[in-house]
Amino acid sequence: MDVHDLSAYMAHVGAAARSASTRMAAASTAAKNEALVALARLLRDNGPTLAEANARDLTAAAAAGLDGPMLDRLKLGDKVIATVAEGCEQIAAMPDPIGEILNLRRRPSGISVGQMRVPLGVFGMIYESRPNVTIEAASLAIKSGNAAILRGGSEALHSNVALWKLVQAALLEAGLPAEAVQLIETTDRAAVGKLITMPESVDVIIPRGGKGLIERISAEARVPVIKHLDGNCHTYVDAEVDLDMALVVTENAKTQKYSPCNATESLLVHAAQAEAFLPRIAAVFAAKGVEVRGCARTLAAVAGVPGLKTAAATEQDWGEEYLGPIISARVVDSLDEAIAHINRHGSHHTDAILTTHHPSAMRFLREVDSASVMVNASTRFADGFEYGLGAEIGISTDKFHARGPVGLDGLTSLKYVVLGQGEIRT
Amino acid sequence: MDVHDLSAYMAHVGAAARSASTRMAAASTAAKNEALVALARLLRDNGPTLAEANARDLTAAAAAGLDGPMLDRLKLGDKVIATVAEGCEQIAAMPDPIGEILNLRRRPSGISVGQMRVPLGVFGMIYESRPNVTIEAASLAIKSGNAAILRGGSEALHSNVALWKLVQAALLEAGLPAEAVQLIETTDRAAVGKLITMPESVDVIIPRGGKGLIERISAEARVPVIKHLDGNCHTYVDAEVDLDMALVVTENAKTQKYSPCNATESLLVHAAQAEAFLPRIAAVFAAKGVEVRGCARTLAAVAGVPGLKTAAATEQDWGEEYLGPIISARVVDSLDEAIAHINRHGSHHTDAILTTHHPSAMRFLREVDSASVMVNASTRFADGFEYGLGAEIGISTDKFHARGPVGLDGLTSLKYVVLGQGEIRT
């Protein structure tokens, strides 16, 4: 297929995906698992081929002046390959979500009504530099009986093509259509514009990447988008709390890693604990070089902590996702104020309360309007693997369809099944 | 509020809905049920007021030359009021979906992870002449803890306002915010354009009405839309079948009522049964004045049926939703051909197989890509009440979020809850 006639190329890719999705929806669990196990084997057996393709990308990226973290993400080393191969085997070992029938119940008319889990159809995945996403998306597509159209970063094209060839070989080995997973083989940026406006061929788009990319896709897409934009997560230390626990959990939530979207970016402390808690956590932050951008009461409470970098928080700080060693901090006078602050300034991603007071915990769970709400746990747990989904195709901060970490079930839909013995409507 | 400054008016309505939605999400089950029971009582106690408002709409509609069926739909008679009042009580008696926690399971890290059902927030409902939809939408909003913005047909405005005043009185009686249900009080058509493009205030739009209305809304909306466009439903008579049962079910599916979206519009018959089945069902159609638009083999099989209106089916007939006494009919040579025909020409609404052959039934359930798939039952059962949802806000033929009849659960979302004892991520 000539990738230079973009309209014809994308139409061809879309039609092939739609056609393959019908076969994938009817594929047996055994065939899907066989493809996943074969893919794991092919990944392990083709280290040199993958390394060669990856080297081409890395050389070009270095020549183009890409920075260190970007090159790190692009690198497809032995450890990354071992991890994605193991991921394929883990997904093969999971129960098949497709065909499951929920809530089958007899109705007064005599019919039995239930809901059968079926694939969504075709999903488009748009991602940036990390080539391992190619295998993660492909393996989730295979297990969930969907077809996928993948669009990776242009800087990773050779790596992605090499990985994709293995995916197609694994599909064919299991008797499944190679077109169940397709990779867009052109770096033409207009291909993304086509992919997100083909409702006849694509049922949902899943973008992973920077906020700019995701905002543009959401604004222009003509199909549903499973996405999250910001991770401005809060940890709230309540009036009644185990301070030692709060110290350990808050430290973990902020400092275990700075870059993930589920790291805490804002700390709220009830006034009753401000004097006791803030100097202790501030000492931890000082030791780790974390700057505190606080309200006036916070700054007063931490004034005596040696070596702590501080600044007065501006209104903008309450909405900021720093993704680095900075945290905003505010003293609140009540649980109500904490909940209102989070619902107003947060990004509806993940927020935690640390408390020993049961009614506070229950109100926080119910009233904080976020995809994940936690009691006495680090916000860093908001993750498909930690939640037991087995894998994660993305995270949704929308409320429609899927919310929070999205695993296999998020790639499915429930249709009604009705089993009768000749019943009629009267 | 001045309805003539439309932008300011709609912004005010939207902000009030968003604010009320927070209070509704936290409302107790008791308060919500109290409002529903009060609403039922107020409906029964205010017959004369409602009749007077309705008379104004009916007089204006008759003067404007609206036809009989349109006037019928507009009429808010004692029987309609009794039915919607009973509906409110039925919804009050249903379990509260909000706050339910599903699948709470302990993870290896020590945290427990589950999913809590919460309201979507604010839904906009756009509907045409029937004023009873005002009460159906309001009662579902109250029970599901959402706020609703209602936009009824301009010809029903006086009736809708009178009903809405009772809804607000019931909400206030139960200590809930009157703004939880708002009705757009202007007949300015531009209000719809505003309502569907306010993502900051409206989370989802549910249109009910003609195909033209729904297509326009879907194309222009900037929030998700729960909708269905066509109901081109199929009944397929398989090679192995109880012919007497097939006759009764097919007659019911086509002729019990012609106008509903779940009435069968197309009949597929396996070649092995064409000679035995088609003349018998054609005789039923002849007696009821149903025209058969058939393929050549169908027309040959029914040629001897006295009084039957027939025509040769065109390609267009396979996709047609007649909503009247016409049915398209085709002889197929296999189950595969039947499934392929339905997936190609159908509207993914409701399709049924009539068979005694278990493998055919299972393949049909799995491979027909429709919101409802049935074995040995009339397609007319595709309905929220018949499925046990207790009520129906609409029907979705999309796969995303909700599929098929949409009840209370379709107005909710699942957020993750994490219960810990100070766990951290390592």
Side-chain angles (χ1 to χ4, degrees), chain A residues 24 32 35-36 138-146 167 171 176 181:
Chain A
M24 288 303 288
K32 295 189 291 187
L36 291 165
S139 54
L140 286 164
I142 293 169
K143 186 78 184 200
S144 63
N146 286 285
V167 172
L171 284 163
L176 296 173
V181 178

Side-chain angles (χ1 to χ4, degrees), chain A residues 280-308:
Chain A
R280 288 181 67 187
I281 191 70
V284 172
F285 290 153
K288 295 200 168 182
V290 176
E291 175 185 346
V292 174
R293 300 205 182 156
C295 68
R297 290 153 87 185
T298 299
L299 295 179
V302 303
V305 177
L308 180 70

Side-chain angles (χ1 to χ4, degrees), chain A residues 239-257:
Chain A
E240 296 178 30
V241 66
D242 174 342
L243 279 181
D244 293 332
M245 182 275 281
L247 202 70
V248 171
V249 171
T250 305
E251 175 181 1
N252 184 264
K254 179 63 211 177
T255 73
Q256 196 247 346
K257 268 193 181 178

Side-chain angles (χ1 to χ4, degrees), chain B residues 1 3 9 12-13 16-17 20 35 38-39 42-43 46 49-50 53-54 57 76 84 88 127 131-139 141-142 147-152 156-173 177-186:
Chain B
M1 193 67 209
V3 302
Y9 171 66
H12 175 83
V13 167
L39 178 54
L42 290 168
L43 285 163
N46 286 274
T49 313
L50 295 173
N54 190 233
D57 287 331
L76 189 60
V84 292
C88 292
Y127 50 106
N132 49 316
V133 177
T134 303
I135 299 300
E136 290 172 16
S139 55
I142 293 169
I149 302 174
L150 310 180
R151 161 66 185 214
L157 185 63
H158 296 102
S159 311
N160 287 337
V161 168
L163 290 165
W164 171 50
K165 297 288 178 202
L166 302 181
V167 172
Q168 295 207 305
L171 283 163
L172 291 172
E173 199 177 313
E179 297 75 21
V181 179
Q182 294 178 93
L183 182 88
I184 295 177
E185 288 187 88
T186 165

Side-chain angles (χ1 to χ4, degrees), chain B residues 31-40 88-89 91-92 139 142-143:
Chain B
K32 295 189 291 186
N33 290 345
E34 188 186 334
L36 289 165
V37 171
L39 178 54
C88 292
E89 289 166 343
I91 293 173
S139 55
I142 293 169
K143 186 79 184 200

Side-chain angles (χ1 to χ4, degrees), chain A residues 14 20 26 41 65 68 114 174 208 248 256 280 338 368 391 415:
Chain A
R41 191 191 69 240
R208 278 211 218 166
V248 171
Q256 196 247 346
R280 288 181 67 187
V368 170
K415 72 179 179 188

